[in-house]
Structure formats: structure tokens, C-alpha cells
Amino acid sequence: MAAETYLSKLKDFDTPIVWLVLYFFFNLSLTLYNKIILALYDFPFPWTLTAIHTLCGAIGSYTFWKADLFTPASLGERENMVMLAFSVLYTINIAISNVSLNLVTVPFHQVVRAMTPVFTVMLSIVFLKKSFSAMTYISLLPVVLGVAFATFGDYNYTTLGFILTVLGTLLAAIKTIVTNRVQVGRLKLHPLDLLLRMSPLAFVQTMIYAYITGEMAEVVQFASTKLTTSLCFALLMNGVIAFFLNVVSFTANKKTSALTMTVAGNVKQVLSIILAVIIFNLSITFMNLIGIMLTLAGGAWYR
């Protein structure tokens, strides 16, 4: 009886708002962890860090499977190809984002990425035949414009950088939509099941990309001279936080919608700025403050 009461209470917390709060918590925690901890060790290897995230995702989801916390679905060859395509989409999205950041300024990159909700709406209308209320369209305006004001700065870019940044934003929208569809559509995968199938494939792909770009050779050289026990522990904790962020993010996507998650991504961006102001004494302009208020108001207004 006590066990049933406990499970009943747990189910009361299984709501979209709770998962969104957890999404913000783990997302901001990972951002702060990267800034505070990894910055101390000077570990400038993005593909290796992504490989650690995906490896921890594979190990974590496998552990949860063996602990009987979920049961993997039985998929056919076609469904497994969908999982492979999803993992490739995940890896390419990271690759394009990393490359474009070297060709445009950070403020420009953030402003274009803030358009992800707009791309999500367009794709949902065209391919999923979805419709949205007038209130949804109106509430998206301050969410998108707010990020533009909050990150206002030096907007420099190259033609290739502009194309890649827009492409990366489009792919981010597609990834969010696909994440939702494989969990609520025909496949109806458990979030941990999705992570179990996607993570090993993405790990292999990121390692291949690290090798092609020459990062792997740099990491080997770094490991032979600068790798310490404390750094290994810091990287492990980074991977653990990333694992729980993925679980929470996938679950929140399943409980809400792809559009809600892209709006949450914009709100998270300005929350990161607020935390930076509080913790790192970052100075912001009046325009930045207006942008923060606009995005938070739009996020609260969004429905």
C-alpha cells in the first residue's frame, strides 16, 4: 500500500511543467559547469567532448535498461535506419554549428539560432499539416526578438558563415521535430530507448569526425602531457550531466511539443545571460535588458 502511494505521488510530478523545469536546471547546470570547471583545464576539443557526452549517454541508457527501468522496443530494419539517420542528423547539426561559429560572430550566431521556433512552425505546417493559434504566433514574436536584443553586439559574418548558420538553425528545428515524432508517432519510443539507440551511433560518428579534422591527434598529444586525474573526473561529471540533460530534454519534448522545446531553448539562452550577470559580474546594456525581459515575457505568454 505504501509503495502504491509513493508511486502515485511520483506520477503527480510527471507533468510537462516539471520536465521543463528540469530541462532548464540541467541545461543551465551544464552551461555553468563548462564555464567554471572545464575552463580551468583549457580543454579546447569540442568533438572529443561531444564523444564523451554520447558515450555517457550510451552507458547510462544501457545501465537503466539492465536495471529494468524501461524496455527497448522491437524495431525492424526500416525503423533502425530511421535511428541511424537521426544520429547522423544529430552529428551534422553539431558539426555545422561548430564550423559556422568560426565564420560569424557569436551575437550573429545567437540571433539566427533564435529563429529556430520560426523554422519549427514552418516545417510543422508544411510537412506535418499542423495548425497553430494566432496567440501562438504572437507570443513567438517577443521570444525571437528578445534574443536579438539580449545578445545585441557585433554582427559580422561571411557569406558561407551566413549560409551554414541558417542551415544549422534549420537542422536544429528538424532534429527537435524528429525527436518528438519518434517518441509520440508510430514508433513511440521511450526517451531512454531513443538515447540507447542514438548514442552509440553518434559516438562513432563524432570519433570519426574528430579523426578527420585532426582533433584526435591533438587529444592524444594533450593526454600525454596535460591529462590529470582531476581533469578525467571533470570530464566524467560533464558526461553524466549531459546524459541526464538528454534524458530530461527527450522526455520534455515528448510531454510537450517540438515548438515548445525551441521556445524553451530561447528562454534558456537569456537565463544563461542572467546567470552570467549574477555569477561572473557580466555587464549588459539597456538594450540587452529589454531583450531579456521580452524573451521571458514571451516565454511565459507562449501557449
Side-chain angles (χ1 to χ4, degrees), residues 96 158-168:
I96 291 179
T158 64
T159 302
L160 179 60
F162 175 81
I163 294 172
L164 288 177
T165 305
V166 172
L167 178 59

Side-chain angles (χ1 to χ4, degrees), residues 3-16:
E4 291 180 1
T5 304
Y6 178 72
L7 289 174
S8 177
K9 289 182 178 180
L10 281 181
K11 288 182 179 179
D12 292 339
F13 290 97
D14 188 20
T15 63

Side-chain angles (χ1 to χ4, degrees), residues 24 94 119 133 190 239 289:
F24 287 125
I94 296 173
F119 281 102
S133 67
H190 188 282
L289 180 60

Side-chain angles (χ1 to χ4, degrees), residues 249-270:
S249 178
F250 286 169
T251 306
N253 193 320
K254 182 177 183 178
K255 296 287 184 180
T256 57
S257 68
L259 180 58
T260 298
M261 293 308 297
T262 57
V263 171
N266 280 17
V267 174
K268 186 272 300 182
Q269 201 164 320
V270 299

Side-chain angles (χ1 to χ4, degrees), residues 29 79 104 113 137 193 207 250 259 276 287:
S29 295
E79 288 80 9
V104 302
R113 296 287 288 197
Y137 291 118
D193 193 1
M207 291 300 289
F250 286 169
L259 180 58
M287 183 177 291

